Amino acid sequence: MRPAIRTRRLVTVLLAVLAAYFLMPLYWLVVAATKSTGDLINSSPLWFANPQLFTNLGELFSFGDGIFWRWVLNSVVYAGVGALGATFISACAGYALAKCAFRGREALFNVILAGVLLPMTALGLPLFLLMSKLGLANTYWAVLLPSLVSPFGVYLSRVYAATVPDDVLDAARSDGAGEWRIFVKIVLRIMSPALVTIFLFQFVAIWNNYFLPLVMLSDNQLYPITLGLTSWQGFADRQPILQTLTVVGALVSVIPLIVLSGALQRFWRAGLTEGSVRE
């Protein structure tokens, strides 16, 4: 029993150290967001000094005629619409790859899986040239359209769609249900854990995406939060207050992700676990 107890204690201590390591940047962000520009530079980085969080928030939302609100709205549009669209497209593609027999199905699926390995930096220039040809560069569509693609989402959707019993589908067809009704009424409900997982992963990826908006956008009215805060940071040497506003804006930007992850945690955790077992 003693070795087992020592092992559990060691694991507990190790997990506590890892938790502290990963939470330390968030703790610093919370502390730094409460400081003035002078205190941010001169005071202890890990402790509070003359907290003025609400003053900093007021300056954040009023600076530049409230441009930060515009960036928040842009991020919500990019991440919300992009994640919803990617989830639906992934569900359709995964169901078709799992339940529809057609020539080249496995080859197509392998190509989609290869897309998981492609980094966004490698696709940035081709996407920009394509959007420029279509006249969509420096528009919302330049960021939204690439965000609708999720190779991982297609993979996870196929894993779940493959578990839908064929007898259920045949029974629905014999009752006169069309393929679209079967997909919406039956398949999507069975795939709901996977769909929540895909939505959350895609939302976080789009919300934190910096490189794609940097390549596609030149109008600061179209910037998401990530690109907007980076542009502020670039001018912080000439306007020191921007250094504080960047920190406060970074704190505000992580709040939606924390709330969304907490609200959907049980769904996406179940989706990942069941998907790995089914595969």
Side-chain angles (χ1 to χ4, degrees), residues 92-167:
C92 295
Y95 175 70
L97 290 170
K99 294 299 182 180
C100 299
F102 56 89
R103 182 179 300 177
R105 181 176 64 174
E106 292 302 322
L108 177 60
F109 182 64
N110 291 333
V111 171
I112 294 174
L113 283 182
V116 179
L117 306 177
L118 291 176
M120 180 56 66
T121 51
L123 300 176
L125 182 58
L127 284 174
F128 174 75
L129 295 176
L130 177 61
M131 294 299 169
S132 297
K133 279 286 187 180
L134 297 175
L136 298 178
N138 197 35
T139 65
Y140 283 104
W141 294 108
V143 178
L144 279 175
L145 290 179
S147 300
L148 298 177
V149 179
S150 176
F152 170 77
V154 176
Y155 163 76
L156 190 60
S157 295
R158 189 199 185 196
V159 171
Y160 265 78
T163 64
V164 177
D166 291 332
D167 293 340

Side-chain angles (χ1 to χ4, degrees), residues 172-244:
R173 293 188 183 101
S174 63
D175 289 339
E179 293 297 327
W180 180 252
R181 186 177 181 183
I182 293 173
F183 176 72
V184 173
K185 296 293 186 179
I186 299 176
V187 177
L188 289 186
R189 293 184 179 181
I190 297 176
M191 295 173 58
S192 57
L195 300 183
V196 173
T197 303
I198 297 168
F199 174 82
L200 180 60
F201 278 27
Q202 193 70 1
F203 187 95
V204 173
I206 299 172
W207 186 276
N208 292 329
N209 195 357
Y210 167 75
F211 184 74
L212 182 63
L214 176 65
V215 172
M216 295 294 183
L217 305 176
S218 58
D219 185 358
N220 67 349
Q221 296 291 323
L222 302 177
Y223 285 178
I225 293 179
T226 51
L227 188 55
L229 293 179
T230 304
S231 67
W232 275 359
Q233 186 64 32
F235 292 100
D237 55 340
R238 283 175 278 180
Q239 290 181 276
I241 191 177
L242 289 178
Q243 187 170 357
T244 301

